[in-house]
Amino acid sequence: MPLQTRHRRRPALNMALALGVGILIDDILTVPLWVWSVASACAWVLAAAGRSWIPPRLLTVCLLLAVVGVGGLRYHQHTRLTPPHHVLHAADWGEWGLLTGCIDREPELRGVDAGRRVQLLLRAESWSPEADRAEAPGRPLTGLVAVTLRSPQLLDVADRLQLRCRLTRPQPARNPGAFDHRRFLALQGIHATASVAPGDVIAVEHLPNTFWRQRFMDPLRHQARRLLTAHLSGAPAGLLRGMLLGDGFAIPEDVAERFRLTGLAHALVISGLHVGLVALFFFTAFRLLRLPQAPAHVLTTIVLVLYALVTGLQAPVVRATVMAAVVMVGRALGRRGDVYNCLGLAALVILFLSPASLLTLSFQLSFGATLAIVALYGPLRQCLPRRWVDEEHFLGRWIVAPACVSLAAQLGTGPLIAWHFQQFAPISLLANLVVVPLLALSVALGLLTIFAGAIWASAAVPFAAANYLALMALLAVVELFARVPAWSTPKPDALFLVCAGLAALLAALAPRRRWARAALLLLALAWTNLWLWQRLFPPRHLEVVFLDVDQGDGAFLQLPNGRTMIIDAGIRSQRFDTGERVVVPFLRHRGVQRVDVVVASHPHADHIGGLVHLLEQVEVGHYIDSGQQYDSWTSRRIHELIRRKGIVYHRVAAGDSLAGLGGVGGLVLHPTAAFVAADGASIMGLNNGSVALRLDYGGTHILFTGDIEQETEPAMLAWGARLRADVLKTAHHGSRTSSGERFLRAVDADLAIVSVGAYNKFGHPAAEVVARLSDLGARICRTDACGAVSLQIEADGSWHVQPMIRVVP
């Protein structure tokens, strides 16, 4: 079949791809609106005027370029064209005021006991700043605000609330590879958050919802929830509610964590798998009632639409419903069509209505898994012996076929999961083979429980009892599989993702096309060569990332010889562990499997707390500190891990040098024996016994000072010119007890990094320290404002700095 004919059979797929390209271009480049308008109009005019004289292939290109323009235009309009009174343009972030708005979605109850809270989405109507509320009425405000109410209240959709709160912007990613909460919410149209105490709910007005929802959808959802939990409780009830009704907040956190570790997170939320199971259940039921196929397909489609409405029109359900409806309506009309074209039509509808969906993980996983199954299922079966894939036999139908489906889905979603989470669960293939049948059984029994209970309450008991056994078996299987640890993987670059997508496409064509097999081999060789060249000839520069570890210190260094160093790692407390939440995820993001050198400035928890998790999870070669003795759980645990894991320990003092740093010079400037005694006693306090380290590369000097205070400065000034540094990690988070004027003049830094937590109770950094640094001409980067700060020093001594968050003056 000619190539052009095949393309004509898939116009929806081609248009969906073109629309997606336009969305990606505008997201990356932020193309002005007039450029999209002109480019799209020109492409449409050229395609319409040139139908008689432009060659067909070129005409197709013009049409696809026009669709690219529509995609960019639609995304720009959807995400960036907001009215002046939109919450995105609020100028009084962090100020107290009165917010009025209506609840847009069903409130979610989270937490347990005294920690219970309500998460709700408020469609703003007005905002009245507290500072000028007496002089002026509330001004109009539009947009969505995510509100956390720190006390459960009986609220419903459409209720109007008046809240005393502070509007805050969602936090962006503050460290490389960290979760970008601001972007995550922005893709859902949410640009502000607020946390409200119980006493700050000023007024609640219970307003009627739409007739359709108030009279039909809400009662149906509440009835289904009541029937599912009438005979089940605890983890089984929460899991069933999450799988059938989308109540993910009802699933216990420990259960959710086990599913994630096993690579089964898709089973926790309503996704294409659950919608497919619901569709299979109803289609089978209609066929058992002896309905012909066409009416059965139409009725199943209607049920899926109702199911999407009952579950609150959650994005994954809508996507899966559209995909299933396109296929089923086509079957009902007797037009089986092309599967790729059906998927393209579903994507086209979704992206035009909600263009930001393309950038969400759920959209990518849904279509990635579906396309991979369609494209790779056949080729995978062809790789196996014929007797294994014979569907007449038990092995082929119940083992090999599901395994091929699961493997195809894993291949389609694996690169995306590695990109977003930097992990791979090797047990997930086997786990899916066991869990999916149990999941299907639980969904079927859950639906039977709802229908039977709606007719006669006692009739639901046997189905609920059977479902309890199925759910407990599901939980037990997942707990067993969760004992197999997931592998951490480096975050793949864009080149790897592009190559993975091309490889999947070529693998689908390889069994039938010789050129595809050759291209697949060529692609594998080309990517392998690029990967090897990057490893054999890495860039020879020194990179320092001053991590944002809240009120603490933490820095990562990539040395020119490829080795790595960590200097401090932030705090560990009951509330927050920076090692677990910041440092180790950052290392996984960078693909670092081993830290060659760890330097602990001093044994206070805000510097070494995160090192506990680091030493537990990551291979470490050498551990360096000043030898101070400190009786704390954190310090004892670290030295226990050093002994148990065979990490080489070094105690350093002023005058010692660090070797083997790939051309980077390392000189220890502090402490002297006057500050840390031979027996490890801290003569003038732990802060003043901090390790002060100067690193030199290409003529550029970086000075790490730990928490030294002014008592140490005479000893530091004795180093004379060797104290001079281009970059200073400011001592003790900018405390007024450190960074004296003589010391700062001697250092004479061009860049000062202040590692400090936002709104910290200590008032760091002190205004006088900031003033001293500014008067000396130093550029100041604060982690509470800038997030992590990346510094790259070239071999010739040139350097440039890149804050994670750009601060607008």
Side-chain angles (χ1 to χ4, degrees):
M1 185 181 294
L3 181 62
Q4 189 176 347
T5 304
R6 289 201 304 273
H7 281 184
R8 284 180 178 175
R9 292 185 59 195
R10 295 173 179 169
L13 178 63
N14 295 331
M15 291 177 66
L17 290 173
L19 197 72
V21 168
I23 292 170
L24 287 175
I25 290 175
D26 189 75
D27 181 66
I28 296 171
L29 302 179
T30 315
V31 180
L33 188 63
W34 69 267
V35 174
W36 282 123
S37 302
V38 171
S40 180
C42 290
W44 282 115
V45 169
L46 183 62
R51 293 180 62 185
S52 58
W53 53 274
I54 295 181
R57 295 192 179 210
L58 187 58
L59 183 63
T60 301
V61 171
C62 290
L63 288 172
L64 291 178
L65 288 176
V67 177
V68 170
V70 171
L73 199 63
R74 182 73 183 93
Y75 181 76
H76 196 102
Q77 176 267 330
H78 183 77
T79 59
R80 296 188 172 92
L81 293 185
T82 54
H85 50 273
H86 192 275
V87 68
L88 182 62
H89 307 302
D92 40 13
W93 296 110
E95 296 183 11
W96 286 96
L98 287 182
L99 173 66
T100 303
C102 289
I103 299 177
D104 190 68
R105 299 177 195 168
E106 184 178 14
E108 298 180 357
L109 183 63
R110 303 200 175 185
V112 294
D113 302 329
R116 303 192 88 177
R117 60 195 185 279
V118 176
Q119 299 277 357
L120 52 88
L121 196 61
L122 209 66
R123 188 168 293 280
E125 295 178 351
S126 68
W127 169 256
S128 177
E130 201 167 74
D132 57 356
R133 191 171 59 201
E135 292 78 12
R139 60 175 183 261
L141 189 70
T142 61
L144 297 175
V145 182
V147 177
T148 300
L149 180 59
R150 299 196 299 272
S151 175
Q153 293 197 15
L154 187 60
L155 301 171
D156 205 351
V157 179
D159 288 352
R160 178 176 285 121
L161 306 181
Q162 190 176 54
L163 309 171
R164 180 179 179 271
C165 62
R166 291 191 299 185
L167 288 179
T168 56
R169 293 200 69 184
Q171 283 292 319
R174 303 190 62 84
N175 290 286
F179 177 63
D180 192 339
H181 194 231
R182 179 178 295 178
R183 179 172 173 82
F184 172 75
L185 292 180
L187 292 175
Q188 304 174 57
I190 304 169
H191 297 282
T193 59
S195 181
V196 181
D200 289 331
V201 179
I202 306 302
V204 178
E205 184 180 359
H206 298 289
L207 299 178
N209 206 336
T210 60
F211 176 82
W212 174 255
R213 180 157 188 167
Q214 187 175 3
R215 296 295 183 183
F216 180 70
M217 303 312 302
D218 283 347
L220 190 60
R221 181 179 177 85
H222 295 325
Q223 177 75 351
R225 186 179 290 157
R226 184 185 66 80
L227 290 170
L228 288 177
T229 57
H231 307 287
L232 293 172
S233 62
L239 185 58
L240 189 59
R241 285 177 57 187
M243 294 190 301
L244 265 181
L245 300 179
D247 295 343
F249 57 88
I251 303 174
E253 182 56 37
D254 57 334
V255 173
E257 181 64 20
R258 284 196 289 270
F259 272 80
R260 284 192 289 267
L261 291 175
T262 317
L264 297 169
H266 61 278
L268 292 176
V269 295
I270 300 183
S271 61
L273 173 63
H274 300 79
V275 174
L277 293 174
V278 172
L280 178 63
F281 175 86
F282 281 101
F283 182 76
T284 303
F286 291 140
R287 292 293 287 157
L288 290 175
L289 295 174
R290 299 190 177 280
L291 285 177
Q293 281 203 10
H297 280 121
V298 172
L299 288 175
T300 303
T301 302
I302 294 173
V303 169
L304 289 182
V305 173
L306 294 176
Y307 181 64
L309 291 170
V310 169
T311 55
L313 293 176
Q314 297 184 33
V317 184
V318 173
R319 281 193 293 272
T321 300
V322 171
M323 293 164 66
V326 167
V327 174
M328 288 192 173
V329 171
R331 297 287 177 87
L333 297 175
R335 300 177 64 87
R336 299 180 68 88
D338 180 82
V339 178
Y340 292 102
N341 207 47
C342 291
L343 291 174
L345 180 59
L348 196 62
V349 172
I350 293 168
L351 292 180
F352 188 80
L353 294 176
S354 178
S357 295
L358 178 66
L359 306 172
T360 62
L361 177 60
S362 57
F363 179 95
Q364 296 165 10
L365 292 179
S366 295
F367 280 90
T370 306
L371 286 171
I373 290 171
V374 173
L376 300 178
Y377 175 72
L380 288 174
R381 285 171 58 88
Q382 293 184 20
C383 295
L384 300 173
R386 181 168 298 180
R387 66 180 182 275
W388 289 14
V389 298
D390 186 359
E391 293 194 358
E392 297 297 325
H393 293 81
F394 175 85
L395 180 66
R397 172 172 294 185
W398 299 106
I399 302 298
V400 175
C404 289
V405 170
S406 180
L407 180 57
Q410 295 288 329
L411 292 173
T413 59
L416 293 170
I417 293 174
W419 171 271
H420 288 280
F421 302 113
Q422 293 87 60
Q423 72 175 25
F424 169 69
I427 199 65
S428 60
L429 179 61
L430 177 60
N432 273 284
L433 293 178
V434 180
V435 166
V436 170
L438 289 172
L439 185 67
L441 179 60
S442 296
V443 169
L445 289 171
L447 293 172
L448 288 171
T449 301
I450 293 172
F451 289 126
I455 298 171
W456 181 33
S458 298
V461 174
F463 297 114
N467 210 358
Y468 174 79
L469 296 177
L471 290 167
M472 290 303 294
L474 178 61
L475 291 170
V477 167
V478 171
E479 184 175 4
L480 178 64
F481 285 133
R483 296 177 183 176
V484 179
W487 297 345
S488 60
T489 63
K491 183 174 183 177
D493 53 18
L495 175 64
F496 176 82
L497 292 181
V498 172
C499 289
L502 289 175
L505 175 63
L506 293 172
L509 298 173
R512 303 185 305 273
R513 299 287 185 268
R514 183 176 179 182
W515 65 267
R517 293 193 290 271
L520 184 61
L521 178 61
L522 183 63
L523 178 66
L525 292 174
W527 182 83
T528 303
N529 272 278
L530 287 173
W531 183 83
L532 286 174
W533 280 102
Q534 289 176 352
R535 296 301 183 275
L536 292 174
F537 299 99
R540 295 193 57 83
H541 61 251
L542 170 63
E543 182 183 10
V544 185
V545 182
F546 298 91
L547 297 170
D548 178 12
V549 290
D550 198 60
Q551 184 64 19
D553 271 12
F556 165 82
L557 291 83
Q558 183 90 46
L559 303 171
N561 60 358
R563 294 185 176 180
T564 55
M565 177 187 292
I566 290 284
I567 301 179
D568 291 335
I571 194 168
R572 176 192 178 107
S573 66
Q574 292 182 345
R575 182 183 61 88
F576 192 74
D577 182 352
T578 53
E580 180 182 7
R581 301 285 295 276
V582 176
V583 181
V584 172
F586 169 79
L587 295 176
R588 288 175 178 164
H589 164 71
R590 294 292 298 263
V592 175
Q593 305 294 328
R594 171 188 166 89
V595 175
D596 295 287
V597 181
V598 167
V599 179
S601 64
H602 66 292
H604 273 155
D606 60 332
H607 289 251
I608 66 168
L611 292 179
V612 174
H613 189 77
L614 173 71
L615 295 180
E616 289 173 343
Q617 299 294 323
V618 180
E619 180 185 355
V620 173
H622 300 262
Y623 187 93
I624 296 173
D625 66 14
S626 60
Q628 296 185 89
Q629 298 298 313
Y630 187 56
D631 188 19
S632 69
W633 179 90
T634 304
S635 183
R636 291 194 301 271
R637 176 61 177 162
I638 284 175
H639 286 280
E640 175 191 343
L641 289 168
I642 290 171
R643 290 190 297 271
R644 194 178 76 191
K645 301 184 77 171
I647 300 170
V648 180
Y649 173 75
H650 305 270
R651 175 178 175 175
V652 295
D656 291 342
S657 297
L658 304 185
L661 304 183
V664 177
L667 176 63
V668 178
L669 304 183
H670 194 74
T672 64
F675 292 89
V676 179
D679 61 355
S682 304
I683 299 172
M684 302 186 69
L686 291 177
N687 285 348
N688 286 320
S690 296
V691 174
L693 175 66
R694 194 182 85 156
L695 299 178
D696 310 319
Y697 185 63
T700 296
H701 313 301
I702 313 171
L703 180 60
F704 293 88
T705 55
D707 274 0
I708 60 171
E709 302 189 60
Q710 291 181 2
E711 291 83 355
T712 68
E713 292 180 5
M716 295 288 288
L717 290 170
W719 286 96
R722 303 187 75 174
L723 189 60
R724 167 76 176 86
D726 301 278
V727 180
L728 169 67
K729 198 292 297 177
T730 308
H732 201 191
H733 322 289
S735 164
R736 61 174 47 87
T737 62
S738 62
S739 303
E741 184 173 353
R742 286 188 61 205
F743 175 77
L744 293 181
R745 286 189 179 280
V747 175
D748 192 23
D750 298 313
L751 173 67
I753 308 294
V754 184
S755 185
V756 64
Y759 307 111
N760 65 86
K761 63 182 179 181
F762 308 102
H764 296 162
E768 53 265 40
V769 172
V770 174
R772 288 176 203 146
L773 290 168
S774 299
D775 291 343
L776 293 172
R779 175 185 175 183
I780 303 172
C781 286
R782 298 170 45 166
T783 58
D784 60 338
C786 301
V789 180
S790 298
L791 174 70
Q792 185 169 303
I793 304 173
E794 305 297 337
D796 61 1
S798 61
W799 55 275
H800 64 273
V801 63
Q802 180 63 51
M804 191 73 188
I805 304 170
R806 189 172 66 90
V807 179
V808 180

